[in-house]
Amino acid sequence: MRNELCRIGIIDIGSNSIRLVIYDTTPEGGFKIIKECKYSARLSEKITKEGRLERKDMDTVIPVLRQFREICSAFGVEKIRAGATAAIRNASNSAEIIEYLSSASSITIEIITGYQEAYFGFLGVINASDVQDGFVIDIGGGSTEVTLFRGRRYQHSISFPFGAVNTNLLFSHNGNWNAEQVKKLQAYVTGRLVEHDWLGTGEGLPLYGLGGTLRSLGKLDQKNRDYSLPNSHGYTLSGETINRFMEILPATPFDKRKELDGLSKSRADIIVSGLIIFHTVYHYIKASQAVISGEGLREGMLHDLLRPEQPVCDSALEFSLDRIIRFDIHTSKQHLDHINKLAQRLFSAFELGGDRAEQEMLIYVSVMLHRTGSNINYYQSKRHTRYWLMNSPIRGLSHRQLILCALIASYSTKSRKQKLSQAHKDILLASDEDLIHKLGTLVQLSIALDSTEIGIIRDLSVRLHGGTLDLELHGTTTVLIGQEDIENALKAFRNAWAVKIKLGYLSNG
């Protein structure tokens, strides 16, 4: 497989930090992160009153870029794409600085325009979320981009020349804030928002957030709530939560903010300026909620590089599953599709109530990913599958759906005696306990029916009448291997669904 992959390095020279991310990429545009390095540069703080970046201040950046190039070489990177955002873009001598950095580091660096930065952020969000309409906000160190998308297509964007670093310098007193300073920054941001009519056309849409400010707010809220799934991507912040942060964080002295659990010390000074920008935009566009995206500018630069003609995928979930199966699952897609066919056929006999499409999706994802744990230990694969799914880069699922898939995919005969939803009762619904047992036994029965992975059982006929399920297996020959697996799975299935099973076998050998 390694021969089919292309290893790409993306360097993001931001206003706050400089990052290198190395990806293994597939011909279809899938990717996996291999390495990430970060250097805190705070370039926004180095801009002079005349709007210049001096060469002497750039001399600290050159060794970082050279070391990034060495890392790329050591990792066998075939292509490097390096982009500089607001701090360098907005400098009056930006062309001179880019030429100097490119020459001294032997890396070709491009200036990412405000439009490109917004567009790349949109690409990162849309390919990691199954959402049709919404806004994206990317709060960087020296700029803030806001984008509107509808029908998964880019509509409008604007790049504002203010971010968490430069507004902290302009409006706060060494990271400390009073009520008047907060109002001044709010008025400044609002004054720029009113210039763009389209910002008022998406009332009630979700706002997808990128950047360190949003990730930090998410971590703070998760710590405060003792949230049971500490994943950033897909975590939602309500309007009430955002308002509460606005009451607490600006009033907390900088020295005390450094001690907050969940907030890195390097961000303690600029978290307030970032929050004020975010809070102002959130209320101005009248968003319904804020959702944190774990993918943004760098992934957008990668999508644009790999698939410039068609960088937006139709389904984030399918795109995500394809790349996970490609990188992490050592079995054929044909086998997984066959198990899913058996599972969906079995499910067709039942009516659970609730969201049918969601239930079918949970079965599908659980089947596709049930083998992930075998990468760690074949004999304890279910335990590892559960952990892997809970912490995996599956996109297009809510946190609740992610937990359900993890518990369904890792279901075992011992699971029926456990209250599986207990550890995540803050996220799951009360009705999910029953759902996990029913779908878990259904998926495990479907897996057992093709445990040999050679397709002996080609199809099923199912009919539910009264409390009895007529289950007829269509096979190519007699099942010799895996009979015990089928019997154990049938027993668990009978208990969970409270049905009698009349089993028949039709051989077409």
Side-chain angles (χ1 to χ4, degrees):
M1 178 184 166
R2 180 69 187 99
N3 296 337
E4 300 172 30
L5 300 179
C6 179
R7 192 159 279 185
I8 294 174
I10 300 288
I11 297 175
D12 167 16
I13 305 172
S15 305
N16 187 37
S17 59
I18 304 173
R19 288 177 193 261
L20 162 69
V21 184
I22 298 174
Y23 302 88
D24 270 348
T25 67
T26 69
E28 300 79 24
F31 60 86
K32 183 175 185 177
I33 296 175
I34 300 302
K35 181 72 175 172
E36 179 173 357
C37 306
K38 175 188 172 185
Y39 178 81
S40 184
R42 295 274 176 110
L43 293 182
S44 290
E45 294 179 353
K46 295 177 167 58
I47 295 174
T48 66
K49 288 176 182 174
E50 295 77 35
R52 290 174 53 84
L53 280 167
E54 300 299 344
R55 281 196 177 201
K56 63 179 175 58
D57 290 323
M58 293 299 97
D59 287 342
T60 59
V61 174
I62 288 163
V64 175
L65 294 175
R66 284 176 177 164
Q67 211 159 87
F68 279 176
R69 187 165 50 79
E70 285 179 41
I71 293 166
C72 285
S73 179
F75 273 79
V77 166
E78 295 160 62
K79 290 182 193 172
I80 296 176
R81 184 179 196 182
T85 57
I88 292 177
R89 174 175 75 227
N90 295 334
S92 58
N93 60 335
S94 59
E96 174 200 326
I97 292 299
I98 287 291
E99 186 182 346
Y100 179 55
L101 292 177
S102 296
S103 173
S105 66
S106 302
I107 296 171
T108 302
I109 300 167
E110 58 186 294
I111 290 181
I112 305 291
T113 67
Y115 161 77
Q116 284 178 309
E117 190 168 1
Y119 177 65
F120 292 153
F122 157 73
L123 289 183
V125 167
I126 206 69
N127 286 322
S129 309
D130 275 331
V131 60
Q132 292 297 311
D133 309 311
F135 285 95
V136 179
I137 185 169
D138 183 356
I139 303 172
S143 70
T144 295
E145 285 71 41
V146 183
T147 303
L148 172 66
F149 63 91
R150 290 190 180 274
R152 296 183 67 75
R153 294 292 177 265
Y154 171 93
Q155 295 263 300
H156 300 282
S157 71
I158 182 66
S159 178
F160 297 107
F162 53 78
V165 175
N166 57 8
T167 56
N168 182 58
L169 278 170
L170 282 168
F171 291 89
S172 82
H173 180 67
N174 299 323
N176 290 300
W177 294 79
N178 60 36
E180 187 184 347
Q181 289 165 325
V182 170
K183 281 180 185 172
K184 279 184 179 175
L185 179 50
Q186 286 174 324
Y188 173 69
V189 173
T190 304
R192 300 303 300 270
L193 296 176
V194 296
E195 297 168 0
H196 306 278
D197 292 345
W198 59 267
L199 287 170
T201 65
E203 183 177 343
L205 293 180
L207 175 61
Y208 283 76
L210 304 173
T213 294
L214 269 294
R215 283 194 305 274
S216 297
L217 292 174
K219 285 177 185 173
L220 283 168
D221 193 46
Q222 287 179 342
K223 290 282 185 185
N224 184 52
R225 287 176 56 186
D226 199 19
Y227 193 68
S228 65
L229 187 74
N231 295 6
S232 287
H233 181 78
Y235 186 71
T236 59
L237 293 166
S238 66
E240 292 78 16
T241 299
I242 298 161
N243 291 339
R244 192 181 73 247
F245 276 131
M246 272 299 293
E247 289 171 15
I248 296 168
L249 288 179
T252 305
F254 171 43
D255 287 342
K256 288 276 192 294
R257 253 181 271 134
K258 287 181 186 175
E259 309 305 318
L260 289 175
D261 196 11
L263 182 64
S264 71
K265 286 182 171 56
S266 64
R267 192 164 286 277
D269 57 339
I270 59 173
I271 185 67
V272 174
S273 48
L275 168 63
I276 295 167
I277 294 167
F278 172 56
H279 177 266
T280 307
V281 172
Y282 180 89
H283 283 287
Y284 186 85
I285 64 173
K286 298 188 169 95
S288 57
Q289 62 179 5
V291 185
I292 298 168
S293 176
E295 295 180 18
L297 173 71
R298 290 176 291 281
E299 287 75 23
M301 289 171 70
L302 185 65
H303 289 301
D304 180 68
L305 183 66
L306 294 174
R307 302 189 306 165
E309 305 83 15
Q310 197 178 357
V312 177
C313 66
D314 292 330
S315 165
L317 178 58
E318 285 295 344
F319 182 67
S320 181
L321 290 176
D322 283 346
R323 74 188 188 196
I324 292 168
I325 291 167
R326 187 76 183 265
F327 282 110
D328 297 304
I329 297 179
H330 305 295
T331 192
S332 73
K333 179 71 162 54
Q334 187 179 359
H335 165 60
L336 297 172
D337 285 337
H338 182 58
I339 296 173
N340 183 57
K341 182 181 86 168
L342 299 180
Q344 301 294 351
R345 189 87 78 226
L346 190 53
F347 188 54
S348 68
F350 297 93
E351 183 55 63
L352 273 182
D355 188 336
R356 183 80 181 182
E358 181 185 63
Q359 292 157 8
E360 289 171 354
M361 179 273 290
L362 294 172
I363 292 169
Y364 170 65
V365 174
S366 300
V367 166
M368 291 296 130
L369 302 181
H370 79 276
R371 286 285 292 271
T372 48
S374 61
N375 287 338
I376 300 170
N377 186 320
Y378 182 86
Y379 295 105
Q380 297 173 348
S381 65
K382 286 182 177 176
R383 176 159 56 110
H384 297 303
T385 290
R386 180 178 302 188
Y387 176 83
W388 194 96
L389 264 67
M390 293 265 193
N391 297 277
S392 67
I394 307 172
R395 305 311 193 202
L397 297 180
S398 68
H399 282 194
R400 172 181 163 268
Q401 291 167 341
L402 186 64
I403 294 166
L404 288 174
C405 286
L407 294 172
I408 292 164
S410 63
Y411 198 89
S412 70
T413 50
K414 294 174 186 173
S415 299
R416 66 190 181 89
K417 295 177 181 175
Q418 299 166 9
K419 196 159 175 23
L420 296 170
S421 63
Q422 191 65 29
H424 299 284
K425 62 183 180 182
D426 58 323
I427 300 171
L428 297 179
L429 307 174
S431 58
D432 285 337
E433 181 70 27
D434 186 52
L435 186 69
I436 294 162
H437 290 288
K438 284 183 171 167
L439 298 190
T441 54
L442 184 143
V443 165
Q444 294 309 318
L445 175 55
S446 306
I447 293 165
L449 291 173
D450 195 26
S451 64
T452 58
E453 301 189 31
I454 57 175
I456 291 173
I457 293 170
R458 291 187 303 102
D459 209 343
L460 309 172
S461 295
V462 289
R463 187 171 76 94
L464 184 65
H465 55 100
T468 301
L469 180 73
D470 289 341
L471 177 58
E472 190 169 64
L473 312 180
H474 302 254
T476 55
T477 183
T478 307
V479 176
L480 300 173
I481 297 164
Q483 273 190 326
E484 189 180 347
D485 292 339
I486 293 172
E487 286 166 10
N488 288 337
L490 277 169
K491 184 180 176 184
F493 183 84
R494 271 199 309 268
N495 287 332
W497 291 85
V499 291
K500 294 175 182 174
I501 295 177
K502 189 179 172 187
L503 189 62
Y505 190 82
L506 180 64
S507 176
N508 304 109

